[in-house]
Amino acid sequence: MEKNRTSQTNNRTGANSGSLGRLILQLRRLERRPQTFGSTGPLTPSEIHTIEAIGTEGGILMSELAGRLEITKGAVTQLIVRLEAKDLVARSPHPEDSRGTLISLTAKGKEAHAAHEEVHRAFYEQLQEQLTEQEIEVFDTCIDKLVTFLKK
């Protein structure tokens, strides 16, 4: 009996690790593939996620942006240089702190942000069509646990 239970556990673990492995490979493929959002031309996932982190509510400090993205200030600077060259963001001096630089979206950057939001909305709409409410709750719980595990 114990041997049978161990065998079942191993089979489930093997099946789950295969599914998880396939998911991770697919996510890696998606992370490398540039996509077009609105009329902006192709943007890498790191570029569009930077636009998303900046948001449309106004300017954000470079250091705050680095914190939101959980990357170094140097990496943020490189991303901002690329996004400036594509006319998606603009830098301006902080009105109260001469050492600070605010980053905000240009009109073109706001268009990319809105298009990216639409992609997310459409994805969740499709998910809701294919899964029950209970399955979505389980899916969300599993994703939360996976993210927590991966942050360790």
Side-chain angles (χ1 to χ4, degrees):
M1 178 74 171
E2 184 62 34
K3 182 178 180 184
N4 189 25
R5 198 175 298 149
T6 303
S7 176
Q8 288 174 346
T9 301
N10 287 341
N11 286 341
R12 275 196 312 255
T13 304
N16 290 342
S17 65
S19 297
L20 183 58
R22 286 191 309 274
L23 174 62
I24 289 170
L25 284 174
Q26 184 61 30
L27 290 172
R28 284 183 180 162
R29 277 189 213 114
L30 289 172
E31 280 299 309
R32 283 179 276 178
R33 185 177 52 191
Q35 292 184 1
T36 299
F37 298 93
S39 64
T40 61
L43 297 174
T44 66
S46 59
E47 290 171 337
I48 194 63
H49 291 138
T50 301
I51 288 170
E52 180 180 34
I54 293 168
T56 57
E57 68 271 354
I60 182 173
L61 288 168
M62 292 278 272
S63 57
E64 186 181 346
L65 183 57
R68 280 188 190 178
L69 294 171
E70 298 180 356
I71 61 176
T72 66
K73 290 178 190 175
V76 166
T77 299
Q78 290 178 357
L79 281 164
I80 295 304
V81 166
R82 289 196 330 241
L83 292 172
E84 275 183 313
K86 296 179 180 186
D87 191 33
L88 297 168
V89 300
R91 295 188 213 205
S92 60
H94 191 282
E96 298 163 10
D97 182 355
S98 61
R99 297 170 295 163
T101 301
L102 292 174
I103 307 299
S104 57
L105 299 180
T106 63
K108 193 172 171 183
K110 289 178 181 178
E111 178 187 340
H113 185 277
H116 185 244
E117 290 289 312
E118 178 58 26
V119 167
H120 280 248
R121 190 199 58 70
F123 170 78
Y124 289 117
E125 197 173 275
Q126 285 181 339
L127 200 60
Q128 288 174 331
E129 289 173 4
Q130 295 180 25
L131 301 175
T132 66
E133 199 170 312
Q134 183 181 8
E135 288 172 326
I136 291 172
E137 287 176 22
V138 170
F139 180 74
D140 283 343
T141 300
C142 291
I143 294 297
D144 288 343
K145 288 181 178 185
L146 181 60
V147 167
T148 300
F149 174 76
L150 292 174
K151 284 186 174 182
K152 290 181 181 180

